Amino acid sequence: MGEMREEEVEVAVKVVVVGNGAVGKSSMIQRYCKGIFTKDYKKTIGVDFLERQIEVGGEDVRLMLWDTAGQEEFDAITKAYYRGAQACVLAFSTVDRDSFEAIETWKKKVEDEVGEIGMVIVQNKIDLIDDAVVQPEEAENLAKKLRLRFYRTSVKENLNVDEVFRYLAVKYLDQLNAVVEELPAIPQRIGEMQNDARNHHKEKSRHQKQDTTISLQPSKRRTQGKKSFMTAKCNLL
């Protein structure tokens, strides 16, 4: 029975990797999905995404990592790039001050398109720490301010790359499970409200002189219950 459920429900997560040009976004995606590192910097052109399947808490999760395809260089990232994103890496480079200072802007760009999703800040090229132009405390303070998890990575040395994407997968699953767990309680609450309404009407027929304003109350409550259920359903989609 368990096997059937796993076949039917596959968890796929669209992850966008954003940040200024040349901070190592494409290299990070290549490293994670293909296990290779290319030191030559070429502007990415025409690549949509690479994928990797991992297991998180007994569930198979397919991560689809979307590359900006060099569009960030001329501020031309399309809505299609962001659409449906469920997790995000905000990347900057140890040796590029501007890329660090752009992190808040990138966060806002993503949230303007898709709302609040699981995010993580990544300081790449940590192997070049001797030439760092960002102090450790600065990066940590930014992460605290934005209330996001922070990782230092070296795509070149394959340091912490797996951890970044595993964290995003776990975070997404936690959010998904929280929504699914809430749903069954809502119809039950509507059922309770309907019972309340029926009982109320029975009482009313026994006591004809009941105040009519009270009789309106249950149907109001029931409508609110339906609204909250629909909202929860919409959030799931």
Side-chain angles (χ1 to χ4, degrees):
M1 188 72 185
E3 279 177 28
M4 213 171 112
R5 194 190 71 81
E6 279 170 24
E7 278 169 17
E8 284 171 8
V9 182
E10 186 200 25
V11 180
V13 190
K14 177 176 176 176
V15 185
V16 291
V17 183
V18 301
N20 285 10
V23 298
K25 301 184 299 295
S26 300
S27 301
M28 183 177 289
I29 292 168
Q30 296 270 338
R31 167 64 89 187
Y32 185 66
C33 295
K34 293 184 174 178
I36 56 170
F37 174 70
T38 315
K39 66 175 181 176
D40 301 323
Y41 172 60
K42 296 187 190 79
K43 283 185 188 174
T44 316
I45 296 164
V47 177
D48 282 342
F49 64 88
L50 290 176
E51 9 177 39
R52 178 171 164 184
Q53 194 148 333
I54 61 170
E55 193 181 294
V56 180
E59 288 199 60
D60 286 332
V61 180
R62 185 161 55 98
L63 292 166
M64 297 173 289
L65 277 51
W66 284 60
D67 206 323
T68 59
Q71 297 172 68
E72 80 286 346
E73 290 289 349
F74 28 86
D75 201 27
I77 292 181
T78 60
K79 286 181 188 295
Y81 173 78
Y82 295 112
R83 194 178 297 126
Q86 293 140 323
C88 172
V89 174
L90 302 166
F92 73 94
S93 163
T94 301
V95 292
D96 181 346
R97 181 84 200 171
D98 287 346
S99 71
F100 171 67
E101 289 173 354
I103 287 292
E104 283 193 72
T105 307
W106 281 111
K107 180 177 185 283
K108 187 176 185 313
K109 277 183 184 177
V110 175
E111 287 180 342
D112 284 349
E113 293 296 337
V114 293
E116 283 187 30
I117 56 174
M119 288 188 177
V120 62
I121 299 177
V122 170
Q123 174 178 343
N124 189 33
K125 305 190 185 182
I126 204 70
D127 49 288
L128 303 177
I129 196 71
D130 293 345
D131 303 312
V133 292
V134 179
Q135 297 307 308
E137 312 81 59
E138 289 181 293
E140 285 156 19
N141 288 339
L142 178 66
K144 275 181 198 159
K145 179 187 169 187
L146 300 179
R147 296 165 77 178
L148 296 176
R149 181 74 70 93
F150 171 52
Y151 285 95
R152 291 187 175 91
T153 66
S154 168
V155 171
K156 185 181 178 183
E157 308 292 338
N158 201 15
L159 176 73
N160 268 344
V161 177
D162 284 15
E163 285 79 353
V164 166
F165 295 105
R166 176 163 287 276
Y167 165 73
L168 286 174
V170 168
K171 192 169 175 60
Y172 178 69
L173 275 179
D174 286 347
Q175 289 168 340
L176 202 63
N177 291 334
V179 173
V180 170
E181 278 168 25
E182 281 168 24
L183 276 176
I186 295 165
Q188 187 184 353
R189 209 165 66 237
I190 292 169
E192 285 167 12
M193 287 175 185
Q194 286 168 336
N195 286 336
D196 288 349
R198 284 192 204 101
N199 293 336
H200 176 75
H201 288 307
K202 279 179 192 170
E203 285 296 314
K204 191 184 167 192
S205 61
R206 276 196 221 130
H207 307 91
Q208 290 296 326
K209 289 180 183 179
Q210 272 228 347
D211 185 4
T212 52
T213 52
I214 297 169
S215 69
L216 290 171
Q217 200 99 13
S219 60
K220 254 191 204 169
R221 279 167 64 208
R222 191 168 57 189
T223 310
Q224 283 166 356
K226 280 182 181 170
K227 273 182 192 163
S228 67
F229 179 52
M230 288 308 293
T231 308
K233 271 182 81 174
C234 292
N235 290 341
L236 242 189
L237 295 174

